[in-house]
Structures are given as structure tokens and as C-alpha cells.
Amino acid sequence: GRRWLVLLLFSLLAFAQGLVWNTWGPIQNSACQAYGFSSWDIALLVLWGPIGFLPCFAFMWLLDKRGLRVTVLLTSFLMVLGTGLRCVPISDLILKRRLIHGGQMLNGLAGPTVMNAAPFLSTTWFSADERATATAIASMLSYLGGACAFLVGPLLVPAPNGTSPFLASESSRIHIKDRIETVLYAEFGVVCLIFSATLAYFPPRPPLPPSVAAASQRLSYRRSICRLLSNLRFLMIALAYAIPLGVFAGWSGVLDLVLTPVHVSQVDAGWIGFWSIVGGCVVGIAMARFADFIRGMLKLILLLLFSGATLSSTWFTLTCLNSITHLPLTTVTLYTSCILLGVFLNSSVPIFFELFVETVYPVPEGITCGVVTFLSNMFMGVLLFFLTFYHTELSWFNWCLPGSCLLSLLLILCFRESYDRLYLDVVVSV
């Protein structure tokens, strides 16, 4: 039963990292008034997430050489430093903004572990008929943390009354700033509790391996990187994951900014983002459980999910262009299209992770998923970088969604699947 406690601690850490990363996007208007942030600052605060993946290969090496406990402890300690830095009480707004950026950067450095280590944890602690479910829970909780930021931020932090920070009264600005700092202190406390629990109990591995694959010898770090970069099938499916998920992550991080031109309030944008990610987490765990029962169906599941993602993203984009398409632009259509898009894309993450590991086995799970999440965050970073310069016109950003989903659908369709790890566990163990 200890495997579920280990999974719970790791999932809580991933939840907190996603919550801290998405603190500012849902309350961008309030943050601009309280701290004098510009649109460029808001985009950069989200951009610290993909920037934190630049040393991703160092965390992959640490996970491969030192194991899960050391890597998780280092990750949680970086999160404690990052959330604490944001809470330093100082009246100078320029210095305060720099401390907030520094805190977001340190939290971004925790991203490689919480995004990459889920398949490694599931293989180390869970048997073959529970692996996909454990991967889904561990990987989806990070997205759920980002979803709760859509809920917590707009509900606790009031939106500014004026459209410009200069039109607001000083008392309103101070009130908003106090509410934001309450959120920051609460997140700092949650991260400290998780770090203390992880420090007290987080064993690196179980006494006995749960499967043949968990006990088998893996490739070295250098040979693994060479194997991945020379495997065309892996590169194909990695791009099918990285492009649409990177685009969607960047789009979700600035969802309030994207929906402002169609007159959607900060609270409504928060609810849309919340339900789209929550729906994706629920469906993702259900799909992973289904994959545990009926093995060898990962490609078919992905084809179904990305067919739905392509249709829903096209619907949303055309709805935002209602002056041309004359499609009804209502709260119901925006809610439905955004939520369906989040459900289809977010639920594909654990299925992708399991397919990556099966395709390139015996490459270690942490290295395999590290490469694909690095690519995904690079796509996300490039999009957010362009957003800092072209934030006044966002129609191009919406068109990136259906284009990336359609490209991924074609790549998955041409992909030839294999299940090397599953063959080892089922055939060799028998």
C-alpha cells in the first residue's frame, strides 16, 4: 500500500507546481493594477514555465543516476524558495516585481521533474495492470493545479473596476494587492507542508520490483539520448505530442488575455479554464484505466482524442470570428468549445507518455518523457515569446490550435506502434 502514499505525495507536489505556475494568468488585470505589470510581464510570468525546462537534461540525468527521492526533494526545495521569494514584504514595486519573476523562475525549474517523472514512478512502484492509471494520476495533477488557479485567483482576487490601472483609486489598488498577497502566502504554506512530508517519507523504490520491466537493465544516459534522437518513430510521435500540447499550454496560460477581445470577463475566463482542465484530468484518468484493462490500444485512443480536439478547436476559432462566420458567439458556445478542447488534449497526456515508453524501451522513462516535454515547452515558449510582441492581435494565436491538432492527428495516423515493455512483462514473466 505504500505505493499509493508515494503517488499521493508526488501528485500533490505536481499539483502545487501547476498552481503556482498559473497564478498570474487568470488575474492578469488585477495584477497589472496592483503591481504595475504590463502585458509583457504577464506573458513573461507564464513564460518562466517553459524557460525552466532549459536545464531539463540535468534533471533527467539526476533522476537516472540518483533516483526518485533525491530528485523530488530538490524539486520541492526549489518550489519552497520560489514561493517564499514571492512573499518577501517590500514596498518598492520595481523590486517586488523582480522578486515575483525570480520566484516564478525557481518554480519553473521544478517543472521538469513533475512533468517527466510520472512514468518513472509508475514503472518503479506499480505493476503492469496499474501503470497507465498511476501515470495518469501523477501527470494529470499538475494540470489540475493549473486549473485550480483559474478558480482560486478570480474568486479571491477582485477584478479592477476601470480598464486602465491609472483610473483606479489608490484604496482599490491596495485592496487588490492585499488579496493577491493572501493567495501568495497560502501557496507558500502549501508548498512548505508538501516539502516537509516528502522529507519525512519518500522512499526511492519498493523493497521488491513490481514487474519484470521494473527489474530489468536500462540503457545508460548517453546511449539513451542517442537512441532517442536516431529513432524516427519516436521523433514522429514526440512532435505529435509536443506541438499541440505546447500550443495549448501557452494558450491556456493567457486565456484571460485571449478571451478579452470577445468581452469575456476575468471570472468567466477563469471558469472556462478550470472546467476545461478538470474535464481533461477526469477523462485522462478514465482513459488510462481503460488502457490498463485493454492493452495495445494506445494509438486508437489518441486518434479518437485528436479528432475531437481538431473539431472543437476549429469550432472555437470560427466562433471568435463571428463577424465573418456569423456563428453564434455566446457564453454557452465558448464554454462548450473550450471545455471540449481541454478535455480532448489534456486527457491525451498520460496515453502519450505510456506510448513513448513502450516505443523506445529499454530507454529509461524519465529520459524519454524529459525529451518530449522539453520539446513541448520549447514550442510553448516560442509562442509566448511572439505573444509579447503581438499581444494586440490574437487571432493568429487561436488559429494555431486547430492547425497543431490537425498536424498531430496526421502524425499519429502515420505512426506504427509497438509494445516492447508490455511484451516483456506479459510474455517473459509468463
Side-chain angles (χ1 to χ4, degrees):
R2 285 176 293 182
R3 67 190 188 281
W4 297 108
L5 178 58
V6 171
L7 179 62
L8 174 64
L9 290 175
F10 182 86
S11 300
L12 289 175
L13 183 68
F15 177 89
Q17 200 273 339
L19 179 68
V20 173
W21 168 73
N22 199 29
T23 298
W24 303 101
I27 57 170
Q28 56 129 352
N29 294 328
S30 303
C32 290
Q33 185 180 100
Y35 296 105
F37 283 128
S38 63
S39 297
W40 186 89
D41 282 312
I42 298 297
L44 182 60
L45 288 170
V46 179
L47 191 60
W48 286 121
I51 290 175
F53 274 77
L54 291 177
C56 176
F57 294 96
F59 284 93
M60 288 158 46
W61 176 88
L62 185 66
L63 182 63
D64 185 51
K65 297 296 182 183
R66 300 299 179 186
L68 199 58
R69 175 176 172 81
V70 173
T71 309
V72 169
L73 285 176
L74 175 62
T75 298
S76 55
F77 181 68
L78 288 173
M79 291 174 58
V80 169
L81 291 180
T83 52
L85 204 60
R86 304 186 309 169
C87 296
V88 175
I90 191 168
S91 58
D92 187 350
L93 288 182
I94 296 178
L95 186 56
K96 181 68 174 180
R97 289 197 295 267
R98 292 176 180 174
L99 290 175
I100 291 173
H101 278 290
Q104 292 299 119
M105 181 190 68
L106 289 173
N107 183 75
L109 292 174
T113 300
V114 301
M115 293 296 292
N116 300 340
F120 182 86
L121 183 147
S122 64
T123 301
T124 304
W125 283 90
F126 289 85
S127 60
D129 59 348
E130 295 177 335
R131 272 200 304 248
T133 304
T135 299
I137 295 173
S139 59
M140 288 287 95
L141 264 290
S142 176
Y143 292 88
L144 189 60
C148 284
F150 283 112
L151 180 64
V152 172
L155 288 182
L156 296 182
V157 179
N161 294 325
T163 56
S164 171
F166 302 103
L167 300 178
S169 64
E170 182 65 19
S171 60
S172 175
R173 188 190 70 83
I174 293 175
H175 174 65
I176 292 175
K177 184 171 178 289
D178 289 341
R179 299 297 291 271
I180 292 177
E181 290 182 349
T182 300
V183 174
L184 298 184
Y185 281 118
E187 290 176 351
F188 176 61
V190 170
V191 170
C192 287
L193 286 176
I194 296 173
F195 173 70
S196 301
T198 305
L199 188 64
Y201 182 80
F202 198 92
R205 65 184 65 86
L208 295 174
S211 64
V212 176
S216 62
Q217 187 69 26
R218 302 304 179 88
L219 298 181
S220 65
Y221 181 82
R222 181 179 297 179
R223 289 186 62 193
S224 297
I225 297 295
C226 294
R227 174 75 69 88
L228 293 178
L229 297 181
S230 61
N231 191 324
L232 293 180
R233 290 196 306 122
F234 169 76
L235 294 177
M236 178 186 297
I237 198 66
L239 289 176
Y241 167 88
I243 296 175
L245 269 297
V247 171
F248 180 70
W251 180 82
S252 300
V254 291
L255 185 60
D256 190 11
L257 195 64
V258 169
L259 294 177
T260 298
V262 291
H263 310 292
V264 176
S265 67
Q266 179 173 282
V267 174
D268 279 335
W271 279 112
I272 290 174
F274 174 77
W275 287 116
S276 66
I277 299 177
V278 168
C281 293
V282 173
V283 175
I285 294 174
M287 285 290 183
R289 194 63 191 146
F290 174 76
D292 274 332
F293 280 113
I294 303 178
R295 302 171 187 177
M297 303 286 288
L298 299 179
K299 177 180 175 178
L300 178 60
I301 294 173
L302 289 176
L303 286 174
L304 294 175
L305 292 176
F306 271 87
S307 297
T310 303
L311 293 175
S312 57
S313 59
T314 304
W315 181 22
F316 170 79
T317 303
L318 294 178
T319 300
C320 291
L321 297 174
N322 67 318
S323 60
I324 301 174
T325 61
H326 302 291
L327 290 175
L329 178 60
T330 64
T331 303
V332 174
T333 57
L334 287 175
Y335 263 80
T336 305
S337 57
C338 287
I339 290 173
L340 285 177
L341 178 60
V343 167
F344 289 127
L345 285 181
N346 288 324
S347 60
S348 69
V349 173
I351 308 300
F352 265 122
F353 281 178
E354 288 297 301
L355 187 58
F356 294 145
V357 175
E358 295 287 354
T359 301
V360 298
Y361 185 86
V363 176
E365 293 83 358
I367 297 176
T368 303
C369 296
V371 171
V372 294
T373 53
F374 176 81
L375 290 174
S376 176
N377 278 271
M378 290 306 100
F379 280 108
M380 173 184 169
V382 170
L383 277 174
L384 291 176
F385 177 77
F386 279 107
L387 185 62
T388 59
F389 295 101
Y390 302 102
H391 58 272
T392 56
E393 178 56 53
L394 294 174
S395 60
W396 65 270
F397 203 7
N398 290 335
W399 278 111
C400 290
L401 285 169
S404 61
C405 292
L406 180 59
L407 175 61
S408 179
L409 181 62
L410 295 176
L411 290 173
I412 296 171
L413 194 61
C414 299
F415 175 74
R416 180 175 56 84
E417 59 186 333
S418 63
Y419 296 90
D420 299 336
R421 185 183 60 168
L422 181 62
Y423 175 85
L424 181 68
D425 279 327
V426 175
V427 177
V428 174
S429 60
V430 173

